[in-house]
């Protein structure tokens, strides 16, 4: 496999999935690792990954800020907490400062979004209908990343 085919693979991947820069590099590294080629060729391809990603960035096919905003919006509508979203984006290789800025911007546009997200989480997990103890419900929400004040309001 040469650099052009790896670039085509990256573009095909981006046509199906939105991705951060670091996540795309990780996907391409895994692809190179699975190839049935010599170690020298794999090393050469791994050294060219930054160049491939730079080409993709030049045409604005990949943008960490746009990725962060879309993930924050999608995950909040799926009932995820701020902590969960932050950890998810860190895992995908987005810069911490970028994440904090985008979360603040999202909070400015959507007041009480985390409370709404917590309500959705409680509905999805059927915590209000279950005969589970209050402490267990609290601990389940805490593991999902919601803070104590929000848990009290939702379960209250």
């Amino acid at each position: 496999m040469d650099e052009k085919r790896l670039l085509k693979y990256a573009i095909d991947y981006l046509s199906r999935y939105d991705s951060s820069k670091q996540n795309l590099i990780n996907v391409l590294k895994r692809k190179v690792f699975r190839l049935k080629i010599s170690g020298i060729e794999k090393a050469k391809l791994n050294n060219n990954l930054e160049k491939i990603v730079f080409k993709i960035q030049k045409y604005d096919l990949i943008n960490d800020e746009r990725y962060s905003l879309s993930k924050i919006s999608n995950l909040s509508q799926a009932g995820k907490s701020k902590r969960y979203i932050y950890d998810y984006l860190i895992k995908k290789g987005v810069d911490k400062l970028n994440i904090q800025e985008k979360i603040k911007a999202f909070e400015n546009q959507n007041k009480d979004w985390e409370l709404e997200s917590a309500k959705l989480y409680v509905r999805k997990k059927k915590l209000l209908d279950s005969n589970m103890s209050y402490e267990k419900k609290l601990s389940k929400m805490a593991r999902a990343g919601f803070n104590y004040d929000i848990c009290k309001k939702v379960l209250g």
Side-chain angles (χ1 to χ4, degrees):
M1 176 175 248
D2 60 346
E3 196 177 312
K4 286 182 182 177
R5 286 180 54 202
L6 202 57
L7 178 65
K8 183 183 178 325
Y9 176 80
I11 292 171
D12 288 345
Y13 178 83
L14 290 173
S15 71
R16 283 177 282 157
Y17 310 104
D18 199 11
S19 181
S20 67
K21 177 183 173 184
Q22 187 59 47
N23 187 55
L24 181 63
I25 290 172
N26 292 340
V27 167
L28 292 176
K29 281 181 181 177
R30 286 193 300 271
K31 176 68 174 173
V32 169
F33 180 75
R34 289 190 312 264
L35 292 174
K36 305 252 187 292
I37 57 176
S38 71
I40 296 169
E41 291 177 40
K42 285 182 182 183
K44 195 187 305 183
L45 282 175
N46 275 326
N47 291 337
N48 290 332
L49 289 181
E50 286 289 334
K51 195 163 68 170
I52 291 169
V53 172
F54 180 74
K55 285 180 185 177
I56 291 172
Q57 265 186 316
K58 191 168 63 174
Y59 295 107
D60 202 31
L61 294 176
I62 192 167
N63 183 330
D64 281 358
E65 292 181 5
R66 184 179 60 222
Y67 175 74
S68 297
L69 282 174
S70 73
K71 280 299 174 187
I72 290 169
S73 177
N74 291 342
L75 291 172
S76 68
Q77 291 172 0
K80 303 298 182 186
S81 67
K82 186 190 315 185
R83 183 80 235 163
Y84 178 92
I85 294 169
Y86 183 83
D87 290 343
Y88 179 86
L89 290 172
I90 289 288
K91 188 175 81 177
K92 292 298 181 181
V94 180
D95 181 42
K96 289 180 182 180
L97 191 62
N98 182 4
I99 297 170
Q100 291 167 349
E101 288 174 6
K102 299 305 170 203
I103 287 178
K104 273 195 173 127
F106 186 76
E107 285 177 337
N108 289 339
Q109 293 175 356
N110 304 295
K111 302 288 185 220
D112 294 332
W113 73 270
E114 198 171 13
L115 184 64
E116 295 303 315
S117 188
K119 289 177 183 175
L120 181 61
Y121 177 81
V122 166
R123 240 187 340 256
K124 276 182 163 182
K125 299 295 178 182
K126 299 177 182 160
L127 292 180
L128 294 178
D129 299 335
S130 74
N131 54 2
M132 194 184 305
S133 73
Y134 182 74
E135 289 78 18
K136 284 190 176 185
K137 292 177 186 178
L138 271 178
S139 64
K140 191 167 189 154
M141 287 189 72
R143 284 191 300 275
F146 295 103
N147 67 34
Y148 182 68
D149 293 332
I150 289 178
C151 294
K152 276 192 339 190
K153 286 179 187 174
V154 173
L155 295 175

